[in-house]
Amino acid sequence: MHPTITTADALTAAGLPGTRPGDGPGAQVYDVTVVGAGVVGAAIARELARYRLRTALLDACDDIGNGTSKANTAILHTGFDAVPGSLEARLVREGQHRLRAYAAETGIPVERVGALLVAWDEEQLAALPALLAKAERNEYHAARLLDAGELRAREPHLGPGALGALEIPDESIICPWTTPLAYATQAVRAGVQLHLNCRVRHIDSGDDVHTLATTRGTLHTRHLVNAAGLYADELDRELGHDDFTVTPRRGQLIVFDKLARDLVGHILLPVPTAAGKGVLVAPTVFGNVLLGPTAEDLDDKTATGSTADAIALLREKGRRILPELLDEEVTAVYAGLRAATGQEDYRIRSRPERRYIAVGGIRSTGLTASMAIAAHVTELLGDSGLDLGTPSELPPVTMPNLGEAFPRPYQDAGRIAADPAYGTLVCHCERVSAGEIRDALAGTVPPHSPDGLRRRTRAGNGRCQGFYCGAAVRALFEEARP
Ligand SMILES: Cc1cc2nc3c(=O)[nH]c(=O)nc-3n(C[C@H](O)[C@H](O)[C@H](O)COP(=O)(O)OP(=O)(O)OC[C@H]3O[C@@H](n4cnc5c(N)ncnc54)[C@H](O)[C@@H]3O)c2cc1C
């Protein structure tokens, strides 16, 4: 039987092993363990890092943010169209303010490009005032209606037939990769233990401690937070609950070349239907243009492939929205899986008597809401008897800028003069220097694959998709491996 442990100090007093970087998970009894290091789990771990707790963050993958968090449309939503009064509406609203401020502080690229919800027929035009009223109910007061003339002046490349729009000026685009990395980096620097390649296979819940059988050994924890994304329902059932079922909803997207970027100024949204938010056209912070996503309910939680049918459907829809986009080169296609549960809200549930919180059903807004979800979960942990103590300041982090709209190292003569590695380009499409690759490989949360390196630097993310730089990038990656 394990002693009852509420804080790291109590743990030490009980004579249990300390938290050393080399320890496997088995050497620890944690106050809190967060399963899943996606954008949500990483945000929760970061929030917990403010407190004198022994916290673990686990992921089955070899990297943070390697699940749904790496493949979304990367919009920092305002929550104008959320279900008023829902938990999601509140957490998206709060989360966007928190993340916007955090991005400014840490250097995560954000561009406030604004969104235009475009009406293509009379029925859609008639629906816009109700959407404006919904935005007001969601405490978003800056939306306004545009007539066809104003709309075309804003977006001259729109296809023919657009009748008007609802403008949402604060919808923004953000870097989906730097965000979870910033959270995880700050959490680890503040003492959170990150265990990768650590899949939770089985959980035994005792009176005081949960015992997790993982692919890296056994781990003990007083409190457990399930942020396992698509697999959160399976973990929940492992603990004897049956609150929700995750049905993966695939979203396929097409990435157009940077030469298409001038065709579109805003995020172009369709008028939503019962089937979902629909297909959008949006710029990315990397300077590309996205077309997508689809919404396909599947059984397979690993089905992240793209299909010819869906790409054809997206192209057909895109042709109506922005015809010239279809003449541009395609850089890549990708797909992400939303953790849909059949409910129009998040499934966040605390079971204080079990010292367990399920953070399920974080479907299509989790990037935006991540920091507010983290604050909410921390509050729930406090209510479940976890002695949080007084929060302290987190160590500041400055993330490398991956955004096209902000200065990059190759453009910075002073930086290159001080360190010529920033002037030596390795990936020419994305203009990524050897210095940035070196820094990423030596980071607090380093990549364990060239793909992880791509998400930290953009190397291989451009027009040639690594055809030219792939070997050089891999060589730098292999050189840096211990
Ligand atoms: C197509 C698409 C577009 C989207 N667009 C937007 C958008 O524009 N704006 C926005 O805010 N949101 C958007 N989203 C939603 C957003 O991407 C998700 O809400 C968010 O990424 C969910 O993060 P997560 O941490 O809950 O899940 P994940 O990122 O999936 O993380 C869960 C982690 O748990 C790990 N895990 C699972 N089981 C186990 C286990 N047994 N043991 C250990 N680890 C485990 C997984 O490896 C994974 O890394 C979009 C989603 C999709 C699919």
Side-chain angles (χ1 to χ4, degrees):
M1 180 67 142
H2 292 278
T4 302
I5 297 155
T6 49
T7 66
D9 286 346
L11 188 67
T12 310
L16 288 158
T19 304
R20 295 180 304 271
D23 285 341
Q28 317 290 323
V29 177
Y30 292 100
D31 294 319
V32 188
T33 294
V34 181
V35 180
V39 73
V40 171
I44 296 168
R46 173 191 168 274
E47 191 60 36
L48 291 173
R50 296 178 188 282
Y51 301 93
R52 281 204 84 203
L53 299 169
R54 195 158 288 181
T55 301
L57 175 62
L58 319 184
D59 204 285
C61 298
D62 69 356
D63 203 355
I64 60 109
N66 205 31
T68 297
S69 299
K70 74 176 176 190
N72 51 45
T73 32
I75 295 170
L76 185 57
H77 296 292
T78 56
F80 80 97
D81 58 348
V83 177
S86 62
L87 180 63
E88 182 175 15
R90 174 167 78 79
L91 297 181
V92 167
R93 187 165 59 239
E94 280 176 29
Q96 59 120 356
H97 292 304
R98 284 176 187 261
L99 182 48
R100 206 179 289 278
Y102 183 66
E105 185 188 309
T106 56
I108 298 168
V110 172
E111 287 180 57
R112 185 178 164 278
V113 291
L116 297 172
L117 208 141
V118 181
W120 294 96
D121 58 35
E122 291 296 341
E123 197 184 332
Q124 292 179 4
L125 191 65
L128 295 184
L131 286 160
L132 176 64
K134 190 178 193 186
E136 295 280 341
R137 288 210 301 288
N138 280 317
E139 296 175 34
Y140 184 71
H141 304 296
R144 67 182 199 99
L145 297 169
L146 302 185
D147 63 25
E150 279 179 291
L151 171 59
R152 192 149 299 278
R154 301 281 178 91
E155 290 291 350
H157 298 280
L158 266 187
L163 300 179
L166 181 68
E167 183 192 25
I168 309 104
D170 296 295
E171 292 275 307
S172 304
I173 52 176
I174 185 166
C175 180
W177 301 328
T178 314
T179 305
L181 184 63
Y183 296 157
T185 299
Q186 208 166 22
V188 168
R189 286 193 193 160
V192 168
Q193 294 259 305
L194 174 64
H195 300 293
L196 297 172
N197 292 313
C198 188
R199 177 181 298 281
V200 176
R201 289 190 185 286
H202 178 69
I203 304 170
D204 265 331
S205 292
D207 287 344
D208 294 318
V209 174
H210 301 280
T211 301
L212 277 55
T214 82
T215 43
R216 289 189 56 199
T218 305
L219 180 148
H220 305 287
T221 185
R222 284 263 303 139
H223 291 259
L224 184 63
V225 177
N226 169 4
L230 292 165
Y231 298 88
D233 57 340
E234 293 173 30
L235 218 59
D236 203 52
R237 278 198 276 279
E238 180 68 29
L239 281 142
H241 312 301
D242 197 8
D243 277 350
F244 60 95
T245 298
V246 174
T247 305
R249 182 169 296 157
R250 183 164 60 190
Q252 302 192 43
L253 292 117
I254 304 176
V255 185
F256 286 88
D257 189 80
K258 291 184 180 44
L259 292 173
R261 178 63 184 87
D262 287 343
L263 290 177
V264 60
H266 302 76
I267 301 159
L268 301 178
L269 301 169
V271 174
T273 64
K277 291 189 183 195
V279 171
L280 57 79
V281 172
T284 74
V285 293
F286 312 124
N288 299 85
V289 177
L290 289 180
L291 171 62
T294 56
E296 310 154 54
D297 286 335
L298 308 173
D299 298 326
D300 183 356
K301 292 181 176 176
T302 62
T304 51
S306 301
T307 63
D309 284 354
I311 299 302
L313 177 85
L314 290 178
R315 291 184 71 89
E316 188 191 316
K317 290 193 184 261
R319 196 175 297 284
R320 169 111 200 243
I321 305 168
L322 208 64
E324 290 165 70
L325 183 63
L326 277 296
D327 298 332
E328 298 293 335
E329 300 277 340
V330 170
T331 298
V333 293
Y334 67 93
L337 300 174
R338 308 169 187 87
T341 61
Q343 314 270 338
E344 287 299 303
D345 206 351
Y346 294 163
R347 308 288 293 165
I348 301 180
R349 174 150 185 196
S350 173
R351 294 180 182 269
E353 73 290 357
R354 306 288 307 271
R355 303 171 320 285
Y356 166 67
I357 301 177
V359 188
I362 314 296
R363 306 161 299 156
S364 43
T365 49
L367 169 61
T368 304
S370 50
M371 294 188 89
I373 294 173
H376 180 60
V377 168
T378 303
E379 214 177 290
L380 292 174
L381 279 166
D383 295 344
S384 330
L386 177 67
D387 179 7
L388 290 168
T390 315
S392 47
E393 287 290 311
L394 289 168
V397 293
T398 304
M399 301 308 291
N401 167 43
L402 302 193
E404 202 66 2
F406 307 95
R408 307 257 320 279
Y410 79 91
Q411 296 165 316
D412 185 340
R415 200 162 170 192
I416 294 168
D419 183 346
Y422 293 117
T424 308
L425 289 190
V426 179
C427 168
H428 287 258
C429 298
E430 298 292 281
R431 297 185 171 83
V432 182
S433 65
E436 289 161 277
I437 291 176
R438 176 202 59 205
D439 296 349
L441 289 166
T444 304
V445 182
H448 296 285
S449 68
D451 200 49
L453 184 57
R454 178 177 68 89
R455 292 197 297 274
R456 285 161 176 80
T457 59
R458 284 173 51 179
N461 202 47
R463 189 172 308 173
C464 87
Q465 290 286 290
F467 185 82
Y468 290 104
C469 68
V473 170
R474 180 165 274 282
L476 290 171
F477 173 76
E478 295 295 345
E479 246 172 58
R481 277 155 85 90

